Amino acid sequence: MTKFLLSLHVLAAIVAVGPVTVAASMFPAAARRVPVPVGGAGGGRDGGGADAGDVRTVRLLHRICRVYAGLGIAVPVLGFATAVSMGVLGDAWLITSVTLTAVAAGLLAAFVLPRQEEVLEQLADGRPVERARTVRLAMFTGLFNLLWATVTILMIVRPGSTTGA
């Protein structure tokens, strides 16, 4: 049962967290590439704001982040089930991983997704987005990705583990 749960946990992490990390990383640069009319709101290539195709790309990246973040709840749920099955709930590496996962989820929910929504609203209205805003968004996204990379390493190395590594 442990191998089955561990397999599901790893698959959930790949399928759910992977798309969020990639789409969130692409979002700031894609938002910067959306053309905005000279002089601010209105206008655009067709007189109706930013180019619809460019905004659709940014909207799609945000939707990927939102949807897969929701699916990502399966990762810690399956992780806890696996940890119970392995009898490692009290191990330091697991407690650290759970803490970092919670921080990553909080960062995504409090800083990345809301800022993506703000940028998307501005672009959809044909308003320019300050570069500093996308740079801060990229910073929060980078921190989110760094936390997940750290959790992944902890899950593989498992300091103090008697099973290898």
Side-chain angles (χ1 to χ4, degrees):
M1 184 59 144
T2 299
K3 289 180 181 180
F4 176 71
L5 288 171
L6 181 59
S7 297
L8 289 178
H9 172 63
V10 171
L11 285 171
I14 292 167
V15 170
V17 179
V20 174
T21 60
V22 172
S25 295
M26 293 173 64
F27 186 96
R32 281 193 288 270
R33 284 193 299 271
V34 174
V36 291
V38 176
R45 291 183 188 170
D46 60 359
D51 183 75
D54 293 325
V55 173
R56 278 194 304 262
T57 299
V58 176
R59 187 173 287 119
L60 175 63
L61 291 171
H62 176 61
R63 187 178 312 134
I64 290 168
C65 291
R66 252 191 10 253
V67 169
Y68 283 91
L71 295 174
I73 194 69
V75 177
V77 168
L78 290 165
F80 275 114
T82 303
V84 168
S85 177
M86 292 173 67
V88 295
L89 274 178
D91 287 8
W93 65 269
L94 183 70
I95 294 167
T96 303
S97 294
V98 168
T99 302
L100 293 176
T101 297
V103 172
L107 192 63
L108 183 66
F111 293 98
V112 175
L113 294 176
R115 281 177 169 75
Q116 284 182 351
E117 289 171 14
E118 292 168 4
V119 167
L120 188 54
E121 286 173 17
Q122 282 185 289
L123 292 173
D125 291 343
R127 294 181 286 144
V129 176
E130 293 177 26
R131 180 169 175 78
R133 180 177 284 255
T134 59
V135 168
R136 280 190 301 275
L137 177 57
M139 177 194 67
F140 289 125
T141 300
L143 288 172
F144 170 78
N145 292 344
L146 182 62
L147 286 168
W148 273 114
T150 304
V151 169
T152 301
I153 291 167
L154 281 171
M155 292 289 158
I156 293 167
V157 174
R158 299 182 325 200
S161 171
T162 59
T163 60

